[in-house]
Amino acid sequence: MVRVLLVQPPHRDTFGYSMPPLGALHLAATARRRGHNPSFLDLALLLRRGDLPNDDGLIDACAHAIVAAEPQVLGLGAMISSLPATLHLADEVRRLQPELPILLGGQGPETVEEELIARHPAIDVVAVGEADETLSDVLDLLADARARTTLTAGTGPGDSLLAVPGLVLRRENAPHRTAPRPVLADLNAVDPPAYDLAESPRAYAEAAGGGEALFPIDLGRGCSYSCSFCSTPIFWGRSVRYLSPARAVDAFDSLAALDGIGCAYVTHDLFTADRQHILDICAEKQRRGNDLPWECRTRIDLVDRKLLDAMLAAGCRRILYGVESDSAAVLDSVDKGGKLAGPGFDVRAVLREASDAGMASIVGVMVGVPGENRDDVEANLQLMADAAVIDGCSLSMHWFNVTPGNGQGDKLPGELMLISGLHADLVRGHDIPVGHVNSKQAQMIAADPELFAAFRVFAPEWATPREVYLLTRNAHLLLEVLPRSLRAFAHARSSNLLDTLLLLLQAIADGDHCSPPKDQAAAAPAATAKAGLDAARGAVHLATERNEHGDPWEELLVLQRGAAVRLVSALIAEQGDERVCALLGYERALFETDDATLCRFSMDPLPLMRAMDAGRWPPLASGPGTRAVLFSRHGDLVRAHSLSDFLADAHELPDDAELLARWPAAEDDDVTRAREMLASLSTIEASS
Ligand code: B12
Ligand code: SF4
């Protein structure tokens, strides 16, 4: 029996929620079944909750927490983004407790296991790929104290571990790879995760600042495609494996029993690969009356209306699609192709169909793909703007980067670069606040381009790295909230979305937000805009970095959504014409009234939208969302009205008292706003 401590190293997740690493909980369950004594320590959770110092003392504090738990074996699980912190942590633990064996696993070490063993002496063993049985095989042997001692001595673990498939370890000071371990043929044989070792979903949600607790659930693994930027098929294999429908619903049942659980997060990357299997899981979930909501990830060319309806009925409420690009050439260049890049496949139509079914979508796109040109990027931004007005769609945009061994880095190694002050999208979350990648980790990354390829990016030809950085940080936030205003503003400037967004983001980042008022009449709005900008800047996280010339470079590391919207709105308000400003007023109102993910589709001023649909002003490629609900906020009270009805009544009844009598829930403010809207709409319609 071995006391093994499985640790999630400190990192910040980037999506505003946090969850335990499911892999570690699976491994713990197997270790327990096989007679060992596992425990679990989530340093990312402790960091998030403020139980660890968020400064240069972080790694030291983490190492002490590990040693205090008195494990006989330490298992660290890393994503590639958390690899530098993990290696730093391993060094510190080794310094404090030299005889403690340290195993590394997870998706971070994928394909660089030898380099890790060769260059990081604190790591004794790396588990390759799926490690459900591997860890326990190692623990069985490390139950022998002598095996533990020889392992950490660095000269060789004795011959016993060499017989365990799926490892890379040190033998005579050189990396040695044991026999490959095939992926598990039957996922039903994997032990259900030991959720009892982790804190509750409620605790995770509270640490993330409230909101809904989203916990991972492992219902399937693997992907039969081979997109060249993606590590999934390499890690999990090119065959798709699932839990049986009965076991899948058992997993939902165990999750549903956890304290505070709000939603299950299906970890499989290609969940709908086997359509019939998903239909069977959904039917079984409904049959058993499990109503836990869930979300999943898949390709957008692997869903259809019947499947979406069945998933929705079984509680699925959101799907993340890696759409990546609206250009077939770009998709083909990264082998994403398939039906998605084929003629006749219409991403927007699928998103609208999902929306009609009532299913929310997240549209993920990449920029900075080698070979991509300005038109390709513009096409992606237009796709995002189209998606943003489809009810239930949200957006995500990533700077293309490589993971070692996935083919891309091998093809174009010379073109990868590390830009000081700018971190690859993969590591977003580490750089904020500054200190997550401390100087030791930054040196590690800079000194080892092979191991840390994912921290480097391709420099595209269509923009400077800084522009790509600003775009990938903020474009999805802005397009999600202000799709119509941004389009209208671009149109008014006779420009496109790419140049318009770059202009706005550069102006904000440079602090050059307000040009002098053009005339006296414009002075007041400009002053208001300036005050708005100044206030918004207070909410922006700033950090001082040095660029490659050593000059201080104050970079906007991230604009919080509210700050991004306020800053850009203020700029548009300053520079846009009356029509653009009216539209901006609507979208700002949508954003500020309530939950933006709902409201931005909801409060479409219908006459304006009709004008837009008809292509009269400004031209839109596709129609807007259709739900017409007006939310209004009064202090903490949010009330919903049917906007079209309310506006229609306001139009029909010029007498405020009559209107209020017909709408008892409405207040004077609503009436005033409706009158303002109608006035603005008639101005817009008249001029369009
Ligand atoms: C859930 C998830 C998240 C969650 C939480 C992750 C967590 N705490 O574990 C959140 C949303 C926070 C997240 C964030 C990010 N994620 Co993520 N995420 C996933 C996802 C969808 C599921 C992970 C999972 O639970 N898998 C199922 C379990 C069973 O597998 P597993 O954890 O890998 O564990 C197995 C092995 O790795 C191994 N193992 C695991 N731990 C250990 C420990 C030891 C000691 C040993 C021996 C073995 C071992 O054994 C396990 C069982 O076989 C994966 C995709 C996927 N399908 O795996 C992406 C994935 C892990 N994420 C990825 C990325 C890129 C990110 C982000 C960088 C995204 C971004 N741009 O911000 C951030 C990074 C956050 C940060 N700052 O570090 C990549 C990682 C690529 C890589 N090679 O490392 C993946 C693979 C997606 C992809 N294909 O691009 N992510
Ligand atoms: S991007 Fe999606 S479809 Fe492509 S290999 Fe990765 S998981 Fe499979």
Side-chain angles (χ1 to χ4, degrees):
M1 192 272 284
V2 174
R3 265 191 333 273
V4 58
L5 177 64
L6 293 164
V7 170
Q8 159 142 273
H11 68 81
R12 277 168 64 94
D13 75 68
T14 48
F15 304 99
Y17 48 75
S18 63
M19 50 176 103
L22 196 59
L25 300 181
H26 273 299
L27 299 187
T30 305
R32 193 151 58 186
R33 173 175 56 78
R34 289 178 50 173
H36 299 290
N37 180 6
S39 53
F40 168 64
L41 179 63
D42 191 340
L43 296 168
L45 174 70
L46 299 187
L47 173 66
R48 179 145 209 157
R49 195 156 58 197
D51 294 345
L52 287 168
N54 185 14
D55 56 28
D56 277 352
L58 172 64
I59 297 297
D60 188 47
C62 291
H64 278 93
I66 288 171
V67 170
E70 298 184 359
Q72 291 171 308
V73 171
L74 171 63
L76 298 171
M79 275 191 264
I80 202 145
S81 49
S82 51
L83 200 53
T86 305
L87 296 172
H88 188 179
L89 179 58
D91 286 347
E92 281 307 300
V93 173
R94 179 54 44 95
R95 199 177 55 75
L96 292 177
Q97 198 171 338
E99 71 286 2
L100 176 66
I102 304 180
L103 273 61
L104 177 65
Q107 310 206 24
E110 178 183 7
T111 77
V112 287
E113 297 91 357
E114 267 100 349
E115 289 80 356
L116 282 162
I117 288 292
R119 294 170 209 168
H120 293 273
I123 303 295
D124 298 308
V125 180
V126 182
V128 182
E130 201 172 57
D132 298 82
E133 297 294 337
T134 318
L135 176 74
S136 288
D137 288 353
V138 171
L139 294 179
D140 288 350
L141 297 169
L142 292 185
D144 175 353
R146 277 170 313 156
R148 296 203 293 272
T149 318
T150 49
L151 189 63
T152 52
T155 49
D159 283 344
S160 58
L161 287 193
L162 298 176
V164 176
L167 299 180
V168 175
L169 38 76
R170 195 170 292 101
R171 189 166 165 73
E172 290 163 9
N173 287 323
H176 176 87
R177 188 175 280 267
T178 65
R181 181 181 288 263
V183 293
L184 295 162
D186 179 12
L187 277 197
N188 293 319
V190 173
D191 292 283
Y195 287 125
D196 59 298
L197 293 181
E199 293 198 34
S200 68
R202 185 181 305 284
Y204 273 88
E206 279 167 8
E212 186 176 60
L214 198 60
F215 246 43
I217 182 170
D218 178 18
L219 304 181
R221 300 177 181 177
C223 175
S224 47
Y225 291 83
S226 50
C227 309
S228 61
F229 57 87
C230 178
S231 58
T232 293
I234 305 169
F235 193 84
W236 297 112
R238 290 219 150 82
S239 65
V240 174
R241 296 162 287 147
Y242 287 109
L243 285 185
S244 68
R247 283 292 310 276
V249 181
D250 289 347
F252 274 116
D253 284 345
S254 340
L255 209 53
L258 299 182
D259 176 38
I261 182 73
C263 182
Y265 184 92
V266 178
T267 58
H268 193 187
D269 298 283
L270 200 69
F271 189 55
T272 62
D274 181 342
R275 187 175 180 280
Q276 188 54 50
H277 193 81
I278 304 311
L279 290 173
D280 293 346
I281 291 179
C282 292
E284 179 65 8
K285 189 166 182 286
Q286 278 187 282
R287 195 186 65 75
R288 286 214 229 156
N290 180 306
D291 60 1
L292 184 68
W294 51 288
E295 36 184 274
C296 66
R297 310 135 59 87
T298 193
R299 285 176 66 109
I300 197 161
D301 52 6
L302 286 180
V303 293
D304 57 69
R305 181 59 190 262
K306 190 173 165 227
L307 181 64
L308 290 169
D309 285 340
M311 291 168 74
L312 194 78
C316 179
R317 54 180 202 191
R318 191 161 70 156
I319 304 181
L320 165 65
Y321 303 107
V323 173
E324 321 304 3
S325 176
D326 203 29
S327 150
V330 171
L331 288 172
D332 284 337
S333 78
V334 291
D335 303 326
K336 180 104 192 185
K339 198 171 150 195
L340 176 60
F345 186 79
D346 186 348
V347 170
R348 292 160 178 84
V350 181
L351 294 173
R352 278 195 292 273
E353 181 140 51
S355 173
D356 290 345
M359 182 77 82
S361 304
I362 306 176
V363 180
V365 301
M366 309 190 295
V367 294
V369 181
E372 185 185 45
N373 61 33
R374 292 186 81 81
D375 291 345
D376 297 326
V377 181
E378 177 65 16
N380 261 0
L381 295 171
Q382 292 292 346
L383 171 67
M384 289 163 81
D386 285 342
V389 295
I390 296 173
D391 197 351
C393 277
S394 35
L395 309 173
S396 145
M397 189 183 213
H398 291 274
W399 192 337
F400 175 85
N401 62 1
V402 299
T403 39
N406 69 0
Q408 282 296 322
D410 300 345
K411 267 191 228 162
L412 294 161
E415 295 180 35
L416 284 174
M417 61 177 186
L418 184 66
I419 309 159
S420 66
L422 304 180
H423 294 288
D425 193 57
L426 190 72
V427 294
R428 151 175 113 143
H430 273 270
D431 47 0
I432 310 154
V434 176
H436 275 275
V437 170
N438 60 24
S439 53
K440 173 165 172 171
Q441 292 157 31
Q443 279 165 17
M444 218 188 264
I445 295 166
D448 199 337
E450 201 177 5
L451 198 50
F452 300 109
F455 288 71
R456 282 141 169 95
V457 288
F458 289 100
E461 283 167 11
W462 49 268
T464 64
R466 185 162 185 259
E467 286 173 330
V468 186
Y469 178 82
L470 291 171
L471 202 65
T472 49
R473 284 294 172 276
N474 304 301
H476 64 292
L477 298 179
L478 295 170
L479 283 169
E480 214 173 79
V481 179
L482 305 172
R484 305 171 185 99
S485 308
L486 284 165
R487 263 200 178 134
F489 186 51
H491 184 248
R493 297 177 62 242
S494 303
S495 182
N496 58 15
L497 276 176
L498 174 60
D499 290 331
T500 302
L501 278 163
L502 288 179
L503 177 100
L504 292 166
L505 292 169
Q506 283 282 18
I508 292 169
D510 293 345
D512 173 26
H513 358 286
C514 278
S515 48
K518 294 167 211 87
D519 55 41
Q520 224 27 49
T528 315
K530 173 88 176 73
L533 282 163
D534 289 344
R537 276 184 73 83
V540 172
H541 291 262
L542 295 172
T544 303
E545 301 274 359
R546 289 187 182 274
N547 66 18
E548 36 279 348
H549 311 295
D551 302 325
W553 185 4
E554 195 185 57
E555 185 61 89
L556 286 172
L557 288 178
V558 71
L559 286 169
Q560 299 295 341
R561 182 184 297 261
V565 171
R566 281 200 299 277
L567 285 162
V568 163
S569 300
L571 278 170
I572 297 180
E574 186 200 24
Q575 296 172 20
D577 62 21
E578 195 185 343
R579 297 180 305 170
V580 172
C581 290
L583 191 48
L584 183 71
Y586 295 124
E587 289 196 325
R588 283 293 303 271
L590 300 185
F591 177 62
E592 280 165 10
T593 353
D594 187 32
D595 176 6
T597 54
L598 179 62
C599 291
R600 68 173 193 275
F601 321 111
S602 309
M603 207 176 75
D604 286 341
L606 294 183
L608 172 65
M609 292 305 147
R610 275 201 295 274
M612 292 168 90
D613 286 347
R616 279 187 287 135
W617 180 90
L620 259 191
S622 66
T626 48
R627 209 144 88 208
V629 179
L630 165 65
F631 284 84
S632 62
R633 167 171 266 159
H634 299 267
D636 290 338
L637 185 67
V638 177
R639 291 182 297 103
H641 315 280
S642 159
L643 175 77
S644 50
D645 293 350
F646 189 67
L647 275 184
D649 283 359
H651 186 62
E652 189 194 310
L653 302 172
D655 185 291
D656 290 359
E658 270 187 74
L659 183 63
L660 281 168
R662 193 176 290 184
W663 287 82
E667 293 181 1
D668 290 348
D669 283 0
D670 301 330
V671 176
T672 310
R673 187 127 61 98
R675 300 266 179 248
E676 283 168 6
M677 271 188 200
L678 288 167
S680 308
L681 290 177
S682 49
T683 314
I684 291 166
E685 289 209 307
S687 58
S688 59

